[in-house]
Amino acid sequence: DQQVKQNSPSLSVQEGRISILNCDYTNSMFDYFLWYKKYPAEGPTFLISISSIKDKNEDGRFTVFLNKSAKHLSLHIVPSQPGDSAVYFCAASRDINKFYFGSGTKLNVKP
Amino acid sequence: DAGVIQSPRHEVTEMGQEVTLRCKLISGHNSLFWYRQTMMRGLELLIYFNNNVPIDDSGMPEDRFSAKMPNASFSTLKIQPSEPRDSAVYFCASSFPAEGVYEQYFGPGTRLTVT
């Protein structure tokens, strides 16, 4: 049973607009969350993180929001760029080693 | 630093053959993770080591899979005998977990095809 779910396998957005990627989790013990970006034929690369003591973390064009009561997090990319086209994975953990990953959302940013 | 290095990048083998995947950690990292990515299950953790010691192997599918870390910088994942359902992309990742630092650094992956 997957503890981290990304229910949208794909998302298409126009360049310059906002991309919103969503992630839900089932384990209320999770206290640290990460987003990874993956290009074809490459390994995932770390993008941004948030701990459960916060509800928002921002890094440039990327912002992660955490709603603990809903067990939901989202990644906002503003403005979206064609180079952002990739597969995005969210991951959650209750210790610093064992992360549970979602199945990924493929983002396509159209020029 | 060259990052996490995996070899081979692609492996095609016949059912029943032994497959060995290799991983070199980033210098200074002390945790090593093996993941498998499939269309059906996404990215799943197979096993992880901390300071060369296997900590959690609950994700290893079955006894045909084994992983070792003979030294602080190198690990192998072995499948013997291989089966077509083992076809997937296998990633290793390394980290130096500390308070507030949890990121794992992934290698480029090994695409395994078992025919």
Side-chain angles (χ1 to χ4, degrees), chain A residues 2 4 6 36 38 43-44 89-91 99-104, chain B residues 34-46 89-92 104 106:
Chain A
Q2 279 203 298
V4 177
Q6 294 176 256
Y36 280 82
K38 184 184 178 306
F89 292 95
C90 67
F99 279 89
Y100 295 85
F101 281 78
S103 53
Chain B
W34 281 102
Y35 290 89
R36 178 171 67 175
Q37 184 187 14
T38 61
M39 290 291 288
M40 293 294 292
R41 301 177 65 88
L43 198 60
E44 53 181 341
L45 178 66
L46 301 178
V89 181
Y90 292 80
F91 292 101
C92 75
Q104 298 176 10
F106 283 76

Side-chain angles (χ1 to χ4, degrees), chain A residues 3-46:
Chain A
Q3 299 193 46
V4 177
K5 295 181 181 179
Q6 294 176 256
N7 292 317
S8 298
S10 64
L11 175 68
S12 188
V13 171
Q14 201 68 37
E15 180 179 6
R17 307 296 283 268
I18 185 172
S19 295
I20 300 176
L21 297 100
N22 294 302
C23 180
D24 298 293
Y25 60 96
T26 58
N27 192 335
S28 58
M29 299 294 289
F30 288 149
D31 59 7
Y32 205 77
F33 306 87
L34 291 82
W35 283 94
Y36 280 82
K37 179 168 72 173
K38 184 184 178 306
Y39 293 118
E42 295 182 11
T45 55
F46 170 74

Side-chain angles (χ1 to χ4, degrees), chain A residues 48-63:
Chain A
I48 192 169
S49 64
I50 189 168
S51 72
S52 59
I53 61 172
K54 294 185 174 182
D55 54 18
K56 177 182 175 181
N57 188 27
E58 193 171 350
D59 183 1
R61 297 186 296 113
F62 301 91
T63 302

